[in-house]
């Protein structure tokens, strides 16, 4: 059972970008914790981050052929702008959990709309980097039940 963690634009700056909003954990911290927690749950994991939309879409397309059973994604700014990302996720027919470190609903109005939420199994926002752990727990439960 393979879980793919995808992080979109600017998430490589976690730990230094607006720490009052996003906290002090780096993307490397998040990915190491995700891999360790996945392993403890008996899951395989892979982490991928890019600031380039085409690379993200290519990675999503590859997921349909590499045994990925679930995708956890923090689409970053693409959440609110990318129909192409939504179509890629819908097109591969792999279940998705959407994660946001900050509570997007307490922020600027443009952040309140997500192109991804309508196709996601679940959405986690505002729990800080713990949201990735919560998503992984959800995924593990879903995969065990199937």
């Amino acid at each position: 059972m393979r879980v793919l963690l995808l992080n979109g634009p600017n998430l490589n700056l976690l730990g230094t970008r607006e720490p009052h909003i996003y906290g002090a954990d780096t993307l490397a911290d998040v990915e190491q914790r995700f891999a360790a927690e996945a392993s403890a749950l008996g899951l395989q994991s892979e982490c991928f981050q890019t600031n380039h939309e085409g690379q993200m879409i290519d990675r999503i397309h590859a997921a349909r052929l590499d045994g990925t059973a679930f995708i956890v994604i923090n689409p970053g700014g693409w959440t609110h702008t990318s129909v192409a990302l939504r179509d890629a996720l819908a097109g591969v027919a792999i279940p998705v959990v959407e994660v946001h470190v900050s509570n997007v609903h307490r922020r600027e109005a443009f952040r309140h709309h997500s192109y991804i939420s309508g196709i996601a199994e679940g959405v986690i926002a505002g729990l800080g980097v713990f949201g990735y752990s919560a998503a992984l727990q959800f995924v593990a439960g879903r995969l065990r039940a199937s």
Side-chain angles (χ1 to χ4, degrees), residues 9-112:
N10 301 311
L11 287 156
N12 57 302
L13 299 178
L14 276 177
T16 59
R17 175 186 174 213
E18 301 175 280
H20 63 286
I21 295 174
Y22 299 106
D25 287 313
T26 67
L27 182 60
D29 296 333
V30 168
E31 290 178 343
Q32 289 169 0
R33 191 174 308 116
F34 191 89
E37 291 175 1
S39 180
L41 291 165
L43 303 173
Q44 295 178 338
S45 66
E46 179 187 342
C47 301
F48 179 79
Q49 186 278 329
T50 184
N51 294 316
H52 305 281
E53 189 174 23
Q55 289 178 352
M56 181 66 77
I57 290 168
D58 288 344
R59 183 61 193 93
I60 291 166
H61 290 176
R64 70 187 179 104
L65 302 174
D66 70 7
T68 296
F70 231 108
I71 294 173
V72 174
I73 186 170
N74 183 337
W78 293 326
T79 304
H80 326 290
T81 63
S82 184
V83 173
L85 182 62
R86 182 225 180 269
D87 288 350
L89 290 165
V92 298
I94 298 170
V96 174
V97 175
E98 179 183 355
V99 174
H100 298 283
V101 175
S102 69
N103 182 350
V104 293
H105 302 288
R106 291 184 66 191
R107 299 186 62 198
E108 303 92 339
F110 72 86
R111 296 186 194 276
H112 299 177

